[in-house]
Amino acid sequence: MKLAPIALFVYNRRNHTRRTLESLVTNPGFTESLLYVFCDGAKSEKDLDSVRSTRELIHSYELENVTIIENECNKGLARSLVDGINYVLQKHDRIIVLEDDCYPSQDFLQFMNICLDNYESDERIMNVSGYAPPIMIPDDYTYDIYFSYRFSSWGWGTWRRAWKYYSKDSGILKTIDSSISIKKKVDRAGLDLYTMLKWQIEGKIDSWAVFWAINIIMHDGLSINPVRSRIMNIGHDGSGVHCSADGRYDVQINKQKTSTIAFPDAIIPDNRIVKSYSDFQTGNLFKKMFYVCHHRFGKFIDPFISLISRVF
């Protein structure tokens, strides 16, 4: 089995980084894998001490397989992550990506590498996600992974052959708006995705992931998700820049050892799981109503949706 290099992105959360690293370094295959740690620079003087402390933690592990890249200026999560992925994929043909709040299971690396190996040559599969949201999986579904039109950015991997399609072209919004069929493909992944793209282009949020999600859809790609999550996000405690306190995404990570994975015989998404995933991403009835209204009357109700969607 080929071992993909690991890219870990950290900023100023020492405790989150410590927990993530403690689990990662005990994963089978870690010591044989290359680790790249990207440390973003402080955004302001008040972050200097926490940034410095986090970097000291990274160096304290004295790992022989690590390359540490420390930015002097603050790139922000989106630019830091995209630049780091590009850096690694210039050297390697695949990658596993973690942020400082993505706590991995003990078989995370094994799961990711088996999937990256299995679908290496299949252009339809563009992403492997380690996190799986707490959705209902049918009792008669006997496989260990499922195919999704939506990827998760918490502990994921891809190949150079797929990442070449990553683009931040704002013109993609006009392409979606001009095609009913493309719009349906985007909405199939969750009604929130179109709104996120629009807000990203308008500068209301800072997300690299929304572009990757849209790029996968635009190229008729699929993501792999585990039935049992290999990642627990520990950043929904109000400490992160992009994650507020929220327990909706809490999961129990896999405790079983992974030696083999039961893959579906055909690359066909299960419509029951697709709907369950989409409903979870869209949110409750109030949010669904807001997203539907936003798609139709966005410029008139944007200020209200931005406020009310946070309440519900």
Side-chain angles (χ1 to χ4, degrees):
M1 179 173 62
K2 187 174 181 179
L3 300 179
I6 308 157
L8 173 62
F9 294 86
V10 307
Y11 179 47
N12 68 344
R13 293 190 288 181
R14 179 188 175 101
N15 288 336
H16 293 77
T17 302
R18 175 185 53 78
R19 289 182 61 188
T20 295
L21 263 176
E22 283 181 353
S23 183
L24 182 63
V25 299
T26 57
N27 260 238
F30 171 78
T31 55
E32 294 79 35
S33 305
L34 295 176
L35 174 65
Y36 295 87
V37 181
F38 295 90
C39 308
D40 202 8
K43 185 181 297 184
S44 63
E45 286 191 10
K46 69 181 180 64
D47 291 335
L48 283 173
D49 288 343
S50 56
V51 166
R52 187 180 301 113
S53 177
T54 302
R55 294 184 180 189
E56 289 173 355
L57 172 72
I58 298 295
H59 285 283
S60 72
Y61 279 81
E62 298 182 347
L63 301 170
E64 295 182 359
N65 61 335
V66 67
T67 299
I68 302 173
I69 296 96
E70 299 177 337
N71 295 323
E72 294 304 318
C73 62
N74 179 263
K75 291 185 174 183
L77 177 61
R79 183 183 162 200
S80 176
L81 198 139
V82 172
D83 286 353
I85 294 172
N86 288 336
Y87 177 87
V88 174
L89 287 180
Q90 287 175 357
K91 303 173 181 292
H92 309 279
D93 64 358
R94 61 183 67 182
I95 188 174
I96 294 172
V97 182
L98 284 168
E99 295 174 37
D100 59 7
D101 56 5
C102 296
Y103 181 86
S105 66
Q106 284 298 288
D107 68 334
F108 169 70
L109 290 182
Q110 195 157 8
F111 172 82
M112 295 296 293
N113 282 308
I114 291 174
C115 290
L116 287 168
D117 259 5
N118 193 70
Y119 292 103
E120 177 181 18
S121 302
D122 198 314
E123 297 284 339
R124 292 170 293 179
I125 306 301
M126 297 179 65
N127 186 89
V128 178
S129 291
Y131 174 81
I135 64 174
M136 291 297 297
I137 302 296
D139 291 337
D140 62 353
Y141 192 81
T142 60
Y143 307 109
D144 294 325
I145 65 104
Y146 58 87
F147 303 108
S148 174
Y149 296 109
R150 181 75 169 259
F151 100 106
S152 168
S153 62
W154 299 337
W156 61 282
T158 190
W159 304 264
R160 184 193 297 154
R161 61 150 174 90
W163 185 253
K164 68 182 180 182
Y165 296 113
Y166 181 81
S167 170
K168 294 176 64 178
D169 181 9
S170 61
I172 199 169
L173 186 63
K174 291 182 179 179
T175 301
I176 295 171
D177 286 337
S178 65
S179 171
I180 294 176
S181 63
I182 294 178
K183 182 64 163 54
K184 286 182 177 179
K185 287 182 180 180
V186 173
D187 287 346
R188 181 174 58 185
L191 294 179
D192 62 316
L193 194 55
Y194 175 86
T195 298
M196 287 177 61
L197 176 64
K198 192 169 186 293
W199 284 349
Q200 170 64 29
I201 291 172
E202 293 173 351
K204 296 177 180 177
I205 60 174
D206 180 24
S207 170
W208 66 271
V210 65
F211 282 112
W212 184 224
I214 293 291
N215 292 156
I216 291 173
I217 293 169
M218 297 295 285
H219 290 89
D220 293 319
L222 293 168
S223 178
I224 293 171
N225 284 60
V227 169
R228 296 182 300 277
S229 187
R230 266 64 178 189
I231 290 288
M232 177 173 58
N233 189 294
I234 57 175
H236 286 282
D237 56 0
S239 65
V241 176
H242 297 278
C243 292
S244 57
D246 189 352
R248 189 167 76 96
Y249 301 93
D250 291 349
V251 294
Q252 294 294 321
I253 57 175
N254 182 58
K255 300 295 185 181
Q256 304 173 19
K257 292 184 178 180
T258 296
S259 56
T260 60
I261 295 175
F263 292 108
D265 297 326
I267 301 179
I268 302 174
D270 186 299
N271 290 330
R272 299 168 298 176
I273 299 177
V274 169
K275 184 179 185 307
S276 184
Y277 201 117
S278 177
D279 289 346
F280 178 84
Q281 292 296 144
T282 297
N284 59 32
L285 178 61
F286 292 102
K287 282 193 174 182
K288 183 176 182 179
M289 291 170 58
F290 291 140
Y291 289 133
V292 169
C293 291
H294 178 259
H295 291 191
R296 297 179 180 177
F297 315 109
K299 65 181 181 179
F300 301 107
I301 62 174
D302 254 349
F304 301 100
I305 291 181
S306 180
L307 173 64
I308 299 175
S309 66
R310 287 178 171 82
V311 175
F312 296 104

